[in-house]
Amino acid sequence: MATAATLPVVGPAARDRLRRAGTLAPVLAVIALLLVPGGGGAQGGTGGTGTVADAASGLLVLVCLVRVARGGARPLTRTAAVVLGLPVLGICLAAITSNDPASSLPGVARYVQVFVLVPAAVLLTVRDRRDFAVVAWALVGLALLQGAVGVGQYLTGTGASYQGEDVRAVGTFGATDVMGMATVVSYGLVVVTGIALGSGPGRARTAALACAGLLFLPLVLSFSRGAWIATVVACALQLLLAGPRRAVRIGLAAGALGVVLVGGLGIGSDLVEERVASITRVTAAPDQSVTDRYTMWAAAGEMWRAEPLTGVGLKGFPQYRDAHASVALSSGSDTAGAGAAFRRQPLLSPHNMYLLVLSEQGLVGLLALAGSWTALLVAALRRRGGPGSGAGADCALVATGLLVWQLTDFFYADIGGPSTVLMSVVLGLAAWWSLVGARRA
């Protein structure tokens, strides 16, 4: 008599992994879909590109809403709801007081998506340190893949155009979003720095150090001054928080790695040297990109002075730019390479998030949005040494580093382009530690 086939028994550990993967799947899908090349340009300000990752973020919010409705419990603490919901005040007020409220509505949707809904959904999806680690390593995986594509572009001369050569590493984001790969790689580098300095397993710290070495080169070859500055600031803070002695040792190791890769091997050394030198040339012989940026910063300031409390309205910067900008502003930036033909990319934002919010949402909007970010950073720093700080040291360093990187980068960039939705995930991950995770670590 034939016996029935015995089905394999799934143990508790396997079932836990399956449940965890199912819970985190919407967040991981947003990260993974950023590997899909975008079809649109990188619009500044409140502009969006409508990528598949954006669609996945909408699905993430929907799934989170269904889970909250089925759970029946209060999803957020009062503090978390206030901190995450504070930007809505400035966003809605700026839309209501806009001279053209109808044209501001897409901006309302974009800002609420990026700074409220997606971060809140990530916060509610992440349940513990293991979930935090899964999402953090997913960011590292995306950074490694995008970085590998970028290095290949530099070596084969198929990247975006930079000083007449198609050598700028941009990953799958293309020539119209040259900050995309730099942002992703920077996130990955900040994450692995936090893990390497944390108190996790030795194998995890060793893997993090190896990943840091791999991510250093594509960040350099992105030729993104803003990303370089933000990464140095964030990683330096992480090193200081981890202890001065460790900071000195790892700082020396990172310096040696930079000398070997850029100086010893000569990888992009001339171009990198020129790009680094240009950071200090803001008044003496600045290049046209620097001139354009400072001209748009001045125009944003003029808009704010005209409407100090509520700004000119969401998506109003392009409309009012020419009326407030000087003749030093060029008609646009040149983009080419990475599979795209030459085109002039219009300058639709000041490339400074704080000035963009100040000009379009006024002082009320800036205080609301920046107040939310500051609250997250202060909470992350305060809870670094709180209960469970030993077990959660890696989470604390990662969350703090990501927040500092983003707030520093906002001095040189604003929202726009496919990588914007990843910024929402990063803010949500950091918000989990600041508002919830420190008590569970």
Side-chain angles (χ1 to χ4, degrees):
M1 181 177 179
T3 59
T6 302
L7 295 176
V9 178
V10 179
R15 287 197 297 268
D16 178 69
R17 285 193 293 268
L18 289 174
R19 285 196 298 268
R20 191 176 299 273
T23 301
L24 294 177
V27 179
L28 300 180
V30 175
I31 297 173
L33 288 173
L34 281 166
L35 289 169
V36 179
Q43 300 178 29
T46 55
T49 56
T51 64
V52 289
D54 280 307
S57 73
L59 181 61
L60 165 64
V61 172
L62 181 61
V63 169
C64 188
L65 287 174
V66 171
R67 287 174 178 168
V68 169
R70 293 179 61 185
R74 176 185 293 180
L76 295 172
T77 64
R78 185 175 302 174
T79 300
V82 170
V83 171
L84 291 178
L86 189 59
V88 176
L89 173 64
I91 294 168
C92 293
L93 184 61
I96 293 171
T97 58
S98 171
N99 293 328
D100 188 0
S103 66
S104 295
L105 287 179
V108 173
R110 184 63 165 167
Y111 269 102
V112 172
Q113 172 208 6
V114 170
F115 294 116
V116 181
L117 293 180
V118 175
V122 174
L123 182 150
L124 292 171
T125 301
V126 174
R127 297 169 300 176
D128 51 32
R129 288 183 62 239
R130 291 179 64 186
D131 283 357
F132 185 101
V134 170
V135 177
W137 276 109
L139 292 174
V140 176
L142 174 66
L144 289 171
L145 292 172
Q146 289 286 0
V149 174
V151 172
Q153 290 170 333
Y154 174 84
L155 295 176
T156 59
T158 56
S161 178
Y162 178 74
Q163 294 191 353
E165 301 180 63
D166 292 344
V167 294
R168 188 168 191 174
V170 292
T172 64
F173 293 98
T176 55
D177 186 16
V178 294
M179 280 292 296
M181 189 213 73
T183 298
V184 171
V185 171
S186 297
Y187 287 154
L189 193 54
V190 170
V191 168
V192 294
T193 300
I195 294 173
L197 296 172
S199 58
R203 287 182 298 179
R205 296 200 302 271
T206 301
L209 286 173
C211 292
L214 294 174
L215 292 173
F216 178 81
L217 184 56
L219 178 61
V220 170
L221 297 179
S222 70
F223 300 111
S224 173
R225 293 170 294 199
W228 291 349
I229 294 171
T231 303
V232 169
V233 171
C235 292
L237 179 62
Q238 287 176 311
L239 288 169
L240 291 175
L241 293 177
R245 293 183 179 179
R246 186 179 294 182
V248 172
R249 291 198 303 268
I250 297 183
L252 291 175
L257 177 63
V259 170
V260 170
L261 289 177
V262 179
L265 300 181
I267 299 177
S269 56
D270 293 337
L271 294 174
V272 171
E273 181 180 355
E274 191 280 332
R275 193 65 166 171
V276 171
S278 71
I279 295 175
T280 61
R281 293 199 302 266
V282 295
T283 56
D287 58 34
Q288 186 59 48
S289 66
V290 173
T291 299
D292 286 340
R293 179 161 300 186
Y294 279 88
T295 302
M296 290 188 294
W297 286 9
E302 291 293 331
M303 294 180 201
W304 170 66
R305 280 185 282 273
E307 298 286 346
L309 288 180
T310 57
V312 298
L314 295 176
K315 302 196 70 175
F317 184 89
Q319 179 183 352
Y320 291 90
R321 181 198 63 184
D322 293 341
H324 294 88
S326 70
V327 294
L329 183 65
S330 66
S331 59
S333 59
D334 297 339
T335 61
F342 174 85
R343 61 173 293 188
R344 293 285 289 176
Q345 189 76 12
L347 303 174
L348 302 178
S349 73
H351 296 293
N352 179 306
M353 191 65 203
Y354 305 106
L355 289 176
L356 175 65
V357 175
L358 191 64
S359 62
E360 293 190 342
Q361 300 182 40
L363 192 59
V364 174
L366 181 61
L367 290 176
L369 201 55
S372 174
W373 303 332
T374 303
L376 292 178
L377 180 58
V378 170
L381 290 170
R382 288 182 61 186
R383 291 174 177 173
R384 179 180 58 89
S389 60
D394 48 352
C395 294
L397 290 170
V398 169
T400 303
L402 289 173
L403 282 171
V404 170
W405 188 94
Q406 194 61 67
L407 296 182
T408 304
D409 185 67
F410 274 158
F411 283 102
Y412 307 94
D414 48 52
I415 61 174
S419 60
T420 298
V421 71
L422 186 64
M423 181 200 69
S424 302
V425 174
V426 165
L427 289 176
L429 194 65
W432 177 83
W433 170 258
S434 298
L435 301 173
V436 178
R439 295 190 292 271
R440 299 182 183 175

